[in-house]
Amino acid sequence: MGSGVKRAALLALLVAASGAPAPAAQAVTATATAKCTEGTFSGRFTLTYDMGTDYRLRKGRGAAGPYIADTGAMHVQVHHRVGTAQTTLLTRSKSGLRSDEAAEVPVEGTRVPRSGRAWVEVTFADRGGEKCTAEADLR
């Protein structure tokens, strides 16, 4: 065995013995599901994100209804607050949704600090005035 291979093997043993997680093992995937109901109208949105030194948003998917002879929309916002300072880090909308049609909202790549409170807020609405708002914390 060459000296470079020996050094690499020794370094791998030291890292394994120290109990330090490998970089890929540091990020854990989590979800936050926001639900709301107003009368017969309801909505559900699931935000998937990685938890590392910050939250890294990966996917947002939701549906609502019923939209009877109508179409609807979902408006997604991700907020972050530390003390009294609040910031909206993401605002996306998806319209033209049919009743109970699941749709994705692009969120990938948005980073949200883990300090303070972070949450997703989704308003589902149809053109006839039915609506509900759902919230879920990122944890």
Side-chain angles (χ1 to χ4, degrees):
M1 238 192 288
S3 64
V5 173
K6 288 179 186 176
R7 280 190 210 118
L10 179 59
L11 180 60
L13 284 172
L14 289 172
V15 168
S18 72
Q26 291 177 351
V28 174
T29 300
T31 59
T33 300
K35 301 178 202 176
C36 62
T37 301
E38 188 65 42
T40 60
F41 187 78
S42 65
R44 176 185 176 107
F45 184 83
T46 301
L47 181 66
T48 304
Y49 54 96
D50 289 333
M51 293 179 3
T53 55
D54 54 11
Y55 299 120
R56 288 183 212 139
L57 307 187
R58 295 179 54 200
K59 182 178 170 182
R61 186 171 181 80
Y67 303 122
I68 300 170
D70 199 355
T71 58
M74 83 181 139
H75 307 284
V76 179
Q77 293 185 315
V78 175
H79 305 286
H80 177 257
R81 179 174 41 223
V82 174
T84 59
Q86 180 172 316
T87 306
T88 300
L89 300 172
L90 174 92
T91 301
R92 300 279 191 276
S93 294
K94 184 82 171 182
S95 59
L97 302 173
R98 294 184 308 269
S99 188
D100 297 316
E101 171 189 11
E104 286 195 23
V105 176
V107 299
E108 188 166 344
T110 302
R111 292 176 179 249
V112 180
R114 288 188 68 174
S115 61
R117 179 181 179 223
W119 71 99
V120 60
E121 177 180 307
V122 185
T123 300
F124 301 94
D126 70 9
R127 294 185 310 186
E130 295 289 327
K131 69 178 181 178
C132 67
T133 300
E135 284 188 12
D137 288 333
L138 281 65
R139 299 174 189 240

